[in-house]
Amino acid sequence: MITVSEERAVDFESTAQIATEAFGSKHVKFYPQRMKWLYERGFGRGSSVVAAFDGDKKVGQIVLLHQKVNLNGEPVVATQLIDLFILRAYRSPTLVRRLYKEAERLCEANRVRVILGLPNPVSAPLNARFMRVHPFLSLPTRIGVSIGWPRRTRLQFSARVKTMPRDEVIERLSAFATPPGENGLSWDTATLFERISDPTCEYAVHATDNLLLVSSSRRTRGISHALLCGFFARPEAAVDSRDIRTLVRAACRLWKHPLFIYAGLNRRLPYLPGLALSARLRPPILVQFRDTACEADPTFDRFQLIDSDYV
């Protein structure tokens, strides 16, 4: 008998194995330590795991990754739909519907107002049908090359997070917490620190007086690059275009990759780094959205890769 309910105590070892098997791709591997970090600490508000069981055997799940979003100066409860999978032998429209129905029930019980999704081609129509989310943002991948040294007169610091004491990292981040007046995910110092504490990835932080960049070293299709995960402007400060160039150079220099990639929206920046790739070469990242309290969509001031479980 198949049961569906919220999983209170997640066995991350078995869940990672089942997820890897369910996706069935040599390019997709789930790691238990990353899942535990992401579900419990990654966004500072925990998660709800809706799981399907055949007796004692877990056969599928969908996760509500809890977040806080600022809308028009007010914090609202939000969640992001992630990690939907069902083992091949158990896939059926009925089980998919049951997982989403329980996820919807938990959203209502927890008074979740905003539901977000960054789906793959399989989950996009399912999210739209069962959670009633709709296309909200389309973020093209932007790519560029940066060489040379950053301007030392502008660069305040540039270092890998794991090489610094925790208190130092928090102090560095403290000036760049997102203000309530900016629509988008809310990042205070503590949650931003947890976000860049992924046990399976290494991050770096770089800053001028008025702008912070979080970056990481990644490899895609055999090509190494500096991934620009997110920019954070000091509240009320004017960001200069030279700040962006300085930080991109600092990231590429630190990771020793002249190639960089960025995907996101940030209205505090005078320009977005890199050139947008054609949708024929790489489809833009789709962000789905639903505001359960208002039919009209807000305008987000920020949404970057760091706001998702992509990085």
Side-chain angles (χ1 to χ4, degrees):
M1 178 179 178
I2 306 297
T3 60
V4 173
S5 62
E6 182 179 3
E7 188 177 11
R8 297 290 186 175
V10 180
D11 182 337
F12 290 100
E13 290 287 343
S14 64
T15 297
Q17 293 174 3
I18 295 166
T20 301
E21 179 184 346
F23 273 81
S25 169
K26 65 180 181 179
H27 303 296
V28 178
K29 181 176 175 60
F30 287 79
Y31 297 92
Q33 65 270 38
R34 186 179 193 275
M35 297 182 89
K36 180 176 175 61
W37 160 81
L38 179 63
Y39 293 7
E40 295 180 353
R41 298 165 38 221
F43 283 75
R45 295 181 176 273
S47 63
S48 297
V49 179
V50 178
F53 284 88
D54 182 1
D56 294 331
K57 178 184 178 182
K58 186 172 183 177
V59 299
Q61 70 168 33
I62 188 172
V63 177
L64 302 173
L65 187 60
H66 302 318
Q67 302 169 331
K68 183 172 75 172
V69 165
N70 289 330
L71 291 182
N72 303 319
E74 296 293 332
V76 303
V77 179
T79 200
Q80 187 174 142
L81 305 169
I82 67 167
D83 290 359
L84 168 66
F85 66 81
I86 300 174
L87 288 175
R88 185 175 298 276
Y90 292 88
R91 291 175 190 170
S92 70
T94 299
L95 184 53
V96 170
R97 190 178 303 109
R98 290 177 65 188
L99 285 170
Y100 275 101
K101 184 177 180 180
E102 179 64 10
E104 175 84 356
R105 187 193 70 78
L106 287 176
C107 285
E108 293 176 356
N110 295 323
R111 298 183 179 180
V112 172
R113 173 173 166 178
V114 167
I115 301 172
L116 293 162
L118 280 81
N120 59 35
V122 173
S123 59
L126 299 176
N127 288 350
R129 178 180 178 183
F130 295 113
M131 296 298 282
R132 301 192 298 282
V133 293
H134 57 267
F136 178 57
L137 296 173
S138 180
L139 307 176
T141 299
R142 305 180 68 87
I143 188 169
V145 173
S146 180
I147 57 177
W149 291 90
R151 298 186 63 173
R152 297 188 180 277
T153 55
R154 302 192 73 84
L155 187 65
Q156 296 297 307
F157 63 86
S158 177
R160 291 178 171 89
V161 171
K162 291 180 179 178
T163 65
M164 295 187 289
R166 182 180 187 276
D167 290 347
E168 182 181 350
V169 179
I170 289 177
E171 181 182 357
R172 298 288 194 184
L173 299 176
S174 61
F176 300 97
T178 55
E182 287 185 14
N183 283 359
L185 268 71
S186 175
W187 292 105
D188 58 27
T189 304
T191 54
L192 185 54
F193 174 78
E194 291 292 351
R195 180 65 185 87
I196 58 179
S197 298
D198 183 340
T200 62
C201 297
E202 190 170 4
Y203 292 89
V205 286
H206 327 268
T208 62
D209 283 339
N210 294 327
L211 190 65
L212 174 85
L213 167 63
V214 176
S215 72
S216 186
S217 175
R218 299 300 167 93
R219 189 174 179 85
T220 304
R221 296 178 182 175
I223 301 174
S224 298
H225 58 274
L227 185 65
L228 312 182
C229 305
F231 290 90
F232 296 89
R234 186 187 296 269
E236 309 302 329
V239 176
D240 191 293
S241 60
R242 291 172 293 180
D243 292 330
I244 301 173
R245 289 194 293 271
T246 296
L247 297 185
V248 173
R249 281 187 178 180
C252 290
R253 188 78 184 179
L254 184 145
W255 297 117
K256 299 179 181 178
H257 305 320
L259 184 72
F260 68 84
I261 289 177
Y262 173 80
L265 163 73
N266 194 321
R267 300 186 190 280
R268 294 291 305 279
L269 302 183
Y271 74 94
L272 296 178
L275 297 176
L277 288 177
S278 166
R280 291 184 294 105
L281 296 175
R282 187 176 181 90
I285 296 171
L286 170 65
V287 181
Q288 296 175 311
F289 179 89
R290 174 183 164 200
D291 184 345
T292 62
C294 181
E295 292 186 2
D297 285 347
T299 298
F300 267 26
D301 296 304
R302 285 174 292 97
F303 196 92
Q304 304 171 106
L305 290 177
I306 200 168
D307 296 319
S308 72
D309 71 323
Y310 267 36
V311 301

